[in-house]
Amino acid sequence: MYIYDSAGKKVAESAGTADPEATVIPKASGTYHVVVVPYDVHNNSFTGKAYLPEATDAGNLTGFSGSHGTYEIAAGALKARADFLADDALRLQASPDGVLADPPGSHMIRTQPAAQRHTSSFDAGTYYGIRSKDTVLRVYKKPLRFGLYKADNRTPVWQEDAPLRWTSGGMRQSLGRGATEQFFGGGEQNGSFSHRDQVMNVGNNTNWNEGGFNNSQPFYLSTAGYGVFRNTMTPGVYDFGPHVRTGQQERRLDAYYFTGDTKKVIGKYTSLVGKPFMPPVYGLEPGDSDCYLHNANRGERHTLDALKVSDGYVQNQMPLGWMLVNDGYGCGYENLPETGAGLNKNNAQLGLWTQDGLPNQADEAKAGVRVRKLDVAWVGGGYGMALDACDEAKAGIEDNSDARGFVWMPVSWAGAQRCSVLWSGDQSLSWDYIRWQIPTYAGATLSGIAYNTGDVGSIYRHDAKMYARDLQWKAFLPTIMTMDGWSSDITTKKPIDQQPWLDGEPYTSINRKYLQLKERLLPYMYTLSKDATKTGVGAVRPLSLEYPDDPATLGADAKYEFMSGPDFLVAPVYSDTSVRNGIYLPKGTWTDYWTGKTYQGPTTVDNYAAPLDTLPLFVKSGAIVPMWPKGTTSWQTRDKGELDYDIYPQGTTKYTLYEDDGVTRKYAKGSSATQQVEVRAPGHGRATVIKVGASVGRYDGKAASRSYGFTVHAKTAPKQVVAAGGKLPHLADAKAFDAAASGWYTDPATGVTHIRTRSLSTDHGFSVELR
């Protein structure tokens, strides 16, 4: 926003996208005019000046009527409507032009809830009240203002502190702010997840760095117990200062308000715009991308050269789920069916970067294309274009195969979570790059975005140490990708590829360690993906989502940590150091994943030893973590005859594993299975009992039987272990354990007990007792 004097001289300027709802300085001042400078996302530049006329406020109420969940409201030229919806949500629309409808061409909303019929209205003198099951909407008369209250009509959820205000360029809503009220959301907001006292831009740009918002969404939620989605395809500015002022660049308000705690609000929002999609299991494995044909940075190559790189993953025992083989502008492809077949032999899927359209989807899918990455050249500024592209790319795979569409996209809008991984764009590697991405991806989850990620090691610069540090923590994101063929070495400035073994030792072994750990944890992450399709809540979470009553989770230390699911706390190292300070652990008992040392929270850990091969990683007591066997490098070659559980006993806890065939859409018709595990650890010398239920359900490839491995992090070693009714042999050490078909031993160095059962039918449950 720029402010000019009456002579046209610029006298003030504020950073960021202009606020179309900015308060115009009254004419009585006689000197200033507020000017909005429109922003062109394609050319990354401002396009001119647009002077805003003085704003108009809603006047006094002039009309109120309605019943059965829908109410018509008027204040002079302003027409408004309140719809109470079946999922305990409120839709509030207002326009001085009298047009109350969805934005033209909108298809963000997947399922429009029906209006509640069981509502009633009453006249309270200074306001009309509309009562629904859980809330009361107050419609104040002089002037017209709105306030949403809980069912008691005494406790405010939100309250307008000024009437709706509009100009020719937009409309603004102004709310009061609670003394400790916090605000989240806005989609992907690079570098932040908590927005109190911040101005949050909601629009699409191509600023890929801290402060950018290319995958933003017109949605925010509040710790006061509500969230709001603005049904719009126009940019906006949300100011979460002492007066919460939100507005879009249009003369209308169309807002869906959802009430409840944060997780419930995310669930209601994603029920409206679309739940996160269910990825194929190979989509949760690492991806690799490069241009193999007409690559100006690497010299002339051929598409089939991609197979030599995929061979490298196999030779180095590193998982690879998929490859983009034409990664770059001007990069075409040749021999696509042969390339796809070759990648499949190495247990990887074929993917294509789509620069400017999808003219050959059917043929490409038949050649084996199972992954799409879209680009800004035709996705453009996002909004409706992004959703069209995303839906089209996903459908192109699914209409021409039995696979699940797996799409990546760099610029998007509300609803993109239903069809795409959101990618934060072209960045250059630095320690700062690692730092600001941590709250970015955790914060995106608070807008129902289950898959948000950035390139491992960035696209443009490479450093072996920073690459290893970046890969470590990104192994705990659901989706990751290495971008090759564009990077240069930070020191030598020479072109360099970025496959995780190319830096040599010790980096190769460190990178392998975390990639194999990511692979082993796929049953855990895959179950979280299934959960997200129902709840809208993704795996990567700020600590405040799991510990909403702990104000320290909003502090400076916790900002650069995240939860991977409910059980893992990850505290990445984002500076050139071997010691991590300021690790905040919330209430509960936490176990260091590497050493077994326990911490009692809430506490802050300083001087944590974090050499290059160590990611600070903690597990919450009570956790039950499913894992594939050691050495697994592909979902296709894993030993289906074994499933492991990593267990941290405390009290009684339960976990439900989800499984299906991993690739087809048959799961949507019920082709899947679940298995519940319950751990009871009463303590005081009494037996710890692990109850493993039957695997309930069917899917293609389901194991009829399997052995189970249990790693039990208990305080005391058992004297004997009984599994499935039989006493297991006590083995001397790890070597004997690895050689045995079943048995148990306790590691004297760590106190951890390792157990393996014989192969058992998945149709029947069994118990394990540590006595």
Side-chain angles (χ1 to χ4, degrees):
M1 182 174 70
Y2 297 88
I3 299 178
Y4 288 74
D5 66 18
S6 56
K9 180 181 178 181
K10 185 169 68 176
V11 296
E13 175 179 340
S14 65
T17 302
D19 180 357
E21 277 64 58
T23 301
V24 176
I25 297 174
K27 290 180 180 178
S29 67
T31 54
Y32 298 144
H33 302 274
V34 172
V35 179
V36 169
V37 182
Y39 190 76
D40 186 330
V41 294
H42 300 288
N43 298 318
N44 204 36
S45 63
F46 293 103
T47 58
K49 298 196 288 267
Y51 289 82
L52 295 183
E54 189 169 356
T56 301
D57 289 346
N60 294 337
L61 184 73
T62 57
F64 178 87
S65 63
S67 61
H68 301 304
T70 297
Y71 296 82
E72 305 292 336
I73 301 153
L78 183 74
K79 306 300 180 186
R81 182 168 63 226
D83 292 295
F84 285 83
L85 307 175
D87 61 350
D88 296 326
L90 165 69
R91 184 183 187 184
L92 182 61
Q93 299 177 80
S95 169
D97 304 316
V99 179
L100 304 177
D102 288 331
S106 170
H107 49 275
M108 292 177 288
I109 295 173
R110 300 304 295 265
T111 304
Q112 185 71 262
Q116 289 185 4
R117 299 189 62 82
H118 303 294
T119 60
S120 60
S121 62
F122 58 92
D123 189 341
T126 59
Y127 64 86
Y128 286 105
I130 307 172
R131 188 182 300 279
S132 69
K133 176 184 176 183
D134 296 322
T135 58
V136 174
L137 179 67
R138 292 184 180 185
V139 182
Y140 293 93
K141 300 177 181 179
K142 294 182 179 180
L144 171 63
R145 291 179 298 122
F146 297 97
L148 189 66
Y149 282 68
K150 293 184 178 180
D152 61 11
N153 196 24
R154 293 190 298 271
T155 309
V157 179
W158 55 262
Q159 172 68 61
E160 289 185 344
D161 62 2
L164 292 171
R165 193 174 201 182
W166 62 90
T167 70
S168 60
M171 177 177 282
R172 184 187 71 196
Q173 184 183 49
S174 181
L175 305 180
R177 188 183 75 176
T180 60
E181 188 175 3
Q182 301 288 334
F183 303 90
F184 312 103
E188 179 194 304
Q189 295 287 326
N190 287 351
S192 64
F193 76 92
S194 179
H195 309 305
R196 181 181 170 92
D197 292 322
Q198 304 295 319
V199 175
M200 183 177 77
N201 289 291
V202 177
N204 280 326
N205 67 358
T206 52
N207 175 7
W208 311 121
N209 300 307
E210 187 168 17
F213 44 92
N214 46 295
N215 284 305
S216 60
Q217 298 192 2
F219 168 80
Y220 76 87
L221 49 83
S222 161
T223 54
Y226 77 95
V228 56
F229 163 62
R230 296 288 290 264
N231 184 25
T232 179
M233 288 190 173
T234 64
V237 175
Y238 295 13
D239 183 344
F240 296 112
H243 301 276
V244 178
R245 293 173 175 171
T246 62
Q248 313 293 143
Q249 290 182 6
E250 59 184 4
R251 282 166 51 96
R252 58 188 288 273
L253 171 74
D254 189 351
Y256 288 78
Y257 298 91
F258 314 97
T259 57
D261 64 30
T262 299
K263 288 185 178 180
K264 289 181 180 178
V265 167
I266 294 171
K268 293 176 183 180
Y269 168 54
T270 51
S271 291
L272 188 71
V273 301
K275 288 287 193 290
F277 69 100
M278 184 65 188
V281 65
Y282 53 77
L284 302 182
E285 295 180 315
D288 187 289
S289 53
D290 203 347
C291 170
Y292 290 96
L293 190 67
H294 311 311
N295 187 331
N297 295 325
R298 296 292 183 269
E300 190 64 22
R301 296 183 293 182
H302 297 283
T303 306
L304 286 170
D305 289 332
L307 302 184
K308 301 173 186 176
V309 175
S310 72
D311 288 342
Y313 281 91
V314 175
Q315 294 160 5
N316 286 279
Q317 297 178 296
M318 294 181 178
L320 175 68
W322 50 277
M323 274 185 99
L324 303 176
V325 299
N326 66 332
D327 187 6
Y329 284 77
C331 184
Y333 59 76
E334 59 189 7
N335 304 115
L336 202 61
E338 295 85 355
T339 303
L343 289 175
N344 291 165
K345 289 181 181 179
N346 283 337
N347 306 308
Q349 300 297 320
L350 175 63
L352 292 178
W353 175 319
T354 305
Q355 179 184 338
D356 56 4
L358 293 163
N360 304 307
Q361 284 214 89
D363 291 340
E364 290 167 346
K366 291 173 183 176
V369 171
R370 297 294 180 266
V371 183
R372 288 281 185 189
K373 182 174 178 294
L374 311 182
D375 209 333
V376 294
W378 67 290
V379 174
Y383 311 107
M385 297 172 65
L387 293 181
D388 287 341
C390 183
D391 288 336
E392 183 182 352
K394 188 171 185 288
I397 294 171
E398 296 184 350
D399 290 348
N400 295 285
S401 73
D402 64 353
R404 305 171 199 173
F406 188 58
V407 179
W408 284 51
M409 188 161 58
V411 178
S412 65
W413 197 238
Q417 52 263 58
R418 69 194 186 217
C419 56
S420 182
V421 174
L422 303 184
W423 169 70
S424 61
D426 295 335
Q427 290 123 6
S428 293
L429 181 63
S430 68
W431 291 112
D432 207 43
Y433 161 81
I434 297 173
R435 174 193 60 78
W436 66 254
Q437 288 187 94
I438 300 165
T440 301
Y441 307 137
T445 301
L446 300 178
S447 295
I449 298 171
Y451 309 101
N452 194 196
T453 189
D455 299 327
V456 174
S458 85
I459 178 176
Y460 289 126
R461 303 202 306 167
H462 182 83
D463 173 83
K465 182 184 291 187
M466 283 190 269
Y467 181 95
R469 283 299 196 193
D470 198 42
L471 184 149
Q472 287 173 8
W473 73 271
K474 285 179 177 170
F476 286 84
L477 303 181
T479 52
I480 60 172
M481 171 178 68
T482 290
M483 186 83 75
D484 303 297
W486 296 69
S487 186
S488 60
D489 184 270
I490 284 179
T491 302
T492 68
K493 312 300 183 186
K494 293 181 179 180
I496 188 170
D497 288 328
Q498 298 200 85
Q499 278 79 30
W501 63 87
L502 293 179
D503 290 316
E505 296 298 345
Y507 308 105
T508 297
S509 293
I510 294 170
N511 295 337
R512 180 188 296 115
K513 169 183 173 179
Y514 286 94
L515 290 175
Q516 287 193 3
L517 178 57
K518 177 177 176 59
E519 191 74 17
R520 287 199 70 199
L521 287 169
L522 278 187
Y524 177 77
M525 194 63 73
Y526 194 69
T527 297
L528 288 170
S529 291
K530 180 59 178 178
D531 291 344
T533 67
K534 297 180 287 186
T535 67
V537 179
V540 182
R541 306 168 184 183
L543 272 60
S544 62
L545 184 61
E546 294 299 315
Y547 300 89
D549 298 325
D550 183 351
T553 61
L554 298 172
D557 289 338
K559 180 176 181 179
Y560 298 109
E561 305 171 8
F562 66 94
M563 300 293 297
S564 187
D567 297 312
F568 287 99
L569 188 151
V570 186
V573 176
Y574 53 89
S575 63
D576 189 3
T577 180
S578 59
V579 175
R580 178 63 152 86
N581 291 313
I583 301 174
Y584 181 70
L585 303 177
K587 182 179 179 181
T589 303
W590 298 88
T591 300
D592 185 319
Y593 188 78
W594 310 112
T595 69
K597 181 179 179 179
T598 58
Y599 299 83
Q600 192 64 40
T603 188
T604 298
V605 180
D606 289 323
N607 300 313
Y608 180 92
L612 186 59
D613 68 344
T614 302
L615 168 74
L617 180 65
F618 303 85
V619 189
K620 183 175 67 176
S621 283
I624 303 169
V625 181
M627 302 181 76
W628 285 338
K630 290 181 180 179
T632 299
T633 57
S634 170
W635 70 277
Q636 295 185 73
T637 60
R638 75 186 189 276
D639 182 359
K640 294 183 180 179
E642 179 182 345
L643 179 66
D644 296 343
Y645 281 97
D646 198 19
I647 294 173
Y648 298 78
Q650 186 176 70
T652 298
T653 53
K654 295 180 181 180
Y655 176 83
T656 301
L657 173 73
Y658 172 82
E659 298 174 288
D660 60 30
D661 66 27
V663 291
T664 76
R665 303 188 300 280
K666 293 179 182 179
Y667 76 93
K669 297 181 180 180
S671 183
S672 62
T674 58
Q675 183 176 46
Q676 187 175 92
V677 178
E678 179 182 297
V679 177
R680 292 181 296 188
H684 305 292
R686 289 180 289 177
T688 294
V689 179
I690 305 167
K691 296 182 65 176
V692 180
S695 177
V696 179
R698 291 285 181 268
Y699 61 88
D700 293 342
K702 178 182 175 180
S705 62
R706 59 191 175 197
S707 65
Y708 292 84
F710 300 95
T711 303
V712 184
H713 302 257
K715 293 181 179 179
T716 57
K719 295 179 180 179
Q720 64 177 11
V721 175
V722 175
K727 185 177 178 181
L728 294 181
H730 183 199
L731 305 170
D733 51 29
K735 184 177 180 181
F737 180 80
D738 291 341
S742 65
W744 69 277
Y745 83 101
T746 299
D747 187 331
T750 63
V752 175
T753 298
H754 301 267
I755 302 167
R756 182 181 298 120
T757 73
R758 59 182 173 82
S759 185
L760 301 168
S761 169
T762 55
D763 288 336
H764 303 285
F766 64 96
S767 293
V768 176
E769 292 188 30
L770 287 77
R771 299 174 177 173

